[in-house]
Each structure stands twice: as structure tokens, then as C-alpha cells.
Amino acid sequence: MQGPGEPQDIFLKVAGGPSPQIKKFFVAIYTDAWLAAPAQIWQFYLHSLQRLDVACTAGQLTRLSLLLRGTAAPRRVRAFTSHPQELEVDPNGAFLLPANGIQDLYIGVRPRRAGSKFIYLNLVDVESHQLVSSWLLCLSCRQPLISKAFEISLPAGGGKGCNKRITYTNPYPSPRLYFLCTNRPDLLQFREDSFEVAGGEVYTIGLRFAPSQTVGGEEILIHINDHEDKNEETFCVKVLYQ
């Protein structure tokens, strides 16, 4: 018995099936002893997913592979993700999954922020639109080590943005190819997304900061990765919009 307006917790325990099975069921709530008319009817969809735990670093590409098992008939399938900016798949388009065969689906995870996060990945039959496989990626992402920090001030309230430059020194005696990425592509663009610099030489990285409509501060990370997309260094730029 509950008083008017008092909350009541209701706990449900439901057996899940194999992925990607979806169970649908109803729960009816009655307020009369004769169950004559329901006060509320709730509809539930229970999605069974394959869980995959991933430990990764923000701004760095972590590569994994998923095993796909073919069904009784060949299918033309495609992978879709809830976070396409942070999860890339190979093949990234439609491909043939052979009947009763085994094939690898390669994925690359590059979170933009540290912390815990869930990403959904579905494999769909592009002809019948049927769900073939479904995964839940549980990310545990750590922050990379910040090697340099900068602070700049930019005008708020629109405008054309601002160009800045920072330098990076190749610590190796041989030439190296580096790739650039950021946690805030909406606020920062690079003049070049990659560059090659000789051993021990200094390279100037061109930065383009987008204008902001609001006053405040933003911490923007610049990830400098090697040819395998592993993080070499990370710079932090604190931007003060005023």
C-alpha cells in the first residue's frame, strides 16, 4: 500500500536469450483487487547483446577483431555503430558473410574522453534488414600523459576564429611519420592531419581554433600519434574565451 504520490520500486528478473535475440513482454498494473481494468500497461523490449570489455587510452586507436559465424544461407551484411566518430569498422561497407563460415570483423576504438562508456555495434542483413549479431562494447578509457600545457585567450561572441602554431621535436634519430587528432574537432582543426619530420628536427604544427559564442574555458587535447596510431605525446591547450 502506497500513499498518494509516493514512489514504489518494482524489480523485474527476466531470463535473457542468446544475442541478438529480442524479447517483448508486457507488465500490467492494477489498483483494484479484481484486476478488472489496468491502471497502467508497460511494454518491455529486452535486447540480448554480446559484451566486450575494452581497456583503451583517449586519442589512441585500439584495434580488436570480432568473430562472425555465418548462418545457413549466405548473407550480405553491414556493421553499424552508435558512435561512428569513435568506432571504426573494417569492412566499413556491405560485405558477404558466407554460409556456415567464419569471418573476422576488425574494429578500431578511439575514445575522445577518458572514463567509462558504452558503444553499441550491430551487424545487419542489408537485404532483409534483419539483425544478425549485436555487441555492447564497455570501454574503460584512461587519460594519456600530458607532456606540455599551453594557455591562450580568444575573443568570444563569434568571429572568424584564430590561427596558432606550436612546435614538436622528433625525439628519435631517424625520420618519423606522425598523425594528429583532438578530443574537440568542433573547436580545433589542424593545418595538416599528418606530418613527417627528420630525426631530432623541429616541426611547426598549425592550429585553427573555431570561434565560440559563449564566455568560458575549454581544455583541448592534441594527440600526436605514431604510424601505428599509438600515442607518442599529448599536449593540452586551455582556451579562455573572453
Side-chain angles (χ1 to χ4, degrees):
M1 297 296 295
Q2 295 293 112
E6 291 186 12
Q8 170 67 50
D9 291 328
I10 297 178
F11 296 93
L12 304 176
K13 186 175 181 180
V14 185
S19 174
Q21 188 183 87
I22 301 175
K23 283 187 176 181
K24 183 178 74 171
F25 61 92
F26 298 89
V27 172
I29 309 295
Y30 296 89
T31 56
D32 62 283
W34 301 275
L35 308 182
Q40 293 187 26
I41 297 179
W42 301 343
Q43 184 177 17
F44 290 85
Y45 289 88
L46 180 65
H47 295 256
S48 298
L49 310 176
Q50 301 179 61
R51 176 174 175 145
L52 180 63
D53 293 303
V54 181
C56 50
T57 303
Q60 176 176 293
L61 187 66
T62 300
R63 294 181 173 88
L64 304 163
S65 64
L66 301 175
L67 190 64
L68 305 180
R69 298 185 181 275
T71 56
R75 291 185 172 209
R76 191 162 183 80
V77 296
R78 183 176 179 179
F80 297 90
T81 174
S82 59
H83 295 73
Q85 294 83 15
E86 298 179 283
L87 178 66
E88 57 186 51
V89 295
D90 181 25
N92 60 359
F95 62 94
L96 185 65
L97 183 62
N100 301 317
I102 295 177
Q103 185 170 336
D104 285 322
L105 178 66
Y106 299 97
I107 63 175
V109 182
R110 192 203 305 273
R112 291 179 177 174
R113 293 177 178 83
S116 299
K117 190 171 193 174
F118 296 116
I119 295 181
Y120 298 93
L121 177 63
N122 292 329
L123 190 70
V124 179
D125 188 316
V126 296
E127 296 174 352
S128 65
H129 305 288
Q130 184 180 7
L131 192 61
V132 178
S133 295
S134 189
W135 294 268
L136 176 66
L137 277 68
C138 305
L139 306 186
S140 177
C141 181
R142 61 184 178 271
Q143 184 86 322
L145 180 65
I146 306 298
S147 56
K148 286 184 181 181
F150 306 89
E151 185 172 309
I152 62 173
S153 297
L154 298 176
K160 297 182 179 180
C162 181
N163 293 319
K164 297 288 184 179
R165 292 184 297 176
I166 59 175
T167 59
Y168 177 74
T169 303
N170 180 10
Y172 301 99
S174 58
R176 291 294 176 103
L177 177 65
Y178 296 98
F179 295 89
L180 299 172
C181 64
T182 178
N183 65 325
R184 295 301 302 270
D186 57 324
L187 296 178
L188 174 63
Q189 292 183 340
F190 301 106
R191 183 181 62 190
E192 297 173 337
D193 292 330
S194 63
F195 63 92
E196 188 171 358
V197 59
E201 295 295 322
V202 177
Y203 182 82
T204 301
I205 301 173
L207 309 176
R208 174 71 177 177
F209 292 91
S212 176
Q213 300 293 333
T214 58
V215 175
E218 294 284 353
E219 285 194 352
I220 302 177
L221 299 183
I222 300 173
H223 304 289
I224 304 174
N225 297 345
D226 63 12
H227 65 286
E228 294 181 345
D229 239 328
K230 300 298 183 183
N231 187 243
E232 286 281 345
E233 287 194 58
T234 296
F235 298 162
C236 179
V237 182
K238 186 172 183 180
V239 184
L240 299 176
Y241 294 98
Q242 55 191 15

